[in-house]
Amino acid sequence: MPPARSATAAPRRRVRTRPRPRRVTVRSPKLRVRWDRAGRIGLLVVLGVVMGLYVQHTLSYISTKSQADHQQAIVDRLQRQNRVLERQQKSLGNPATIVQDARELGMVRPGERPYVIPGLADH
């Protein structure tokens, strides 16, 4: 015989052999949130923002690189011009060059007799 139970004890539950069918509440399509779609859209928005930032930085980098190349070309040109001017300065400081340039201008040293040859095209 089974053990006796008191009157205040909770009733025993029956063990069911079949699971109870779940209730499915049908909501209208307007109120239903599709979280998979919302998640994808959110990820696409974040991806778009990140891509926009990369594009902005890439354009800034390209612009800066172009400016740097332009400035480097100017520096190279000025360095070449400076080398030419330094060579010219050294040659102008040479006494032989000074005498040659003075002779081309028609100057003579004190005590020399100048000669003029008529009919020359460049004098």
Side-chain angles (χ1 to χ4, degrees):
M1 180 167 190
R5 293 179 42 142
S6 68
T8 59
R12 286 189 180 178
R13 290 186 152 182
R14 279 189 307 186
V15 177
R16 292 189 179 168
T17 57
R18 281 189 315 177
R20 193 183 234 185
R22 292 182 140 203
R23 285 188 180 175
V24 178
T25 58
V26 178
R27 294 182 181 171
S28 66
K30 293 179 183 178
L31 299 177
R32 209 166 120 198
V33 176
R34 296 198 47 190
W35 290 108
D36 58 339
R37 179 176 281 176
R40 276 189 232 131
I41 290 172
L43 284 174
L44 285 175
V45 168
V46 169
L47 180 66
V49 168
V50 169
M51 290 294 290
L53 291 174
Y54 274 110
V55 167
Q56 179 184 2
H57 287 294
T58 302
L59 291 176
S60 174
Y61 173 77
I62 290 171
S63 172
T64 303
K65 178 87 170 101
S66 173
Q67 288 175 356
D69 290 342
H70 180 69
Q71 293 296 322
Q72 187 62 42
I74 291 172
V75 167
D76 292 341
R77 182 178 50 86
L78 289 174
Q79 284 177 340
R80 283 192 306 271
Q81 186 179 5
N82 188 30
R83 285 192 297 268
V84 168
L85 291 173
E86 284 176 349
R87 281 194 302 265
Q88 186 180 7
Q89 180 186 12
K90 285 182 183 177
S91 72
L92 289 175
N94 187 359
T97 307
I98 295 173
V99 170
Q100 181 183 359
D101 289 344
R103 297 274 184 192
E104 287 176 2
L105 292 173
M107 297 181 181
V108 292
R109 290 188 181 193
E112 283 185 346
R113 180 184 269 173
Y115 292 97
V116 178
I117 302 172
L120 294 178
D122 56 343
H123 289 286

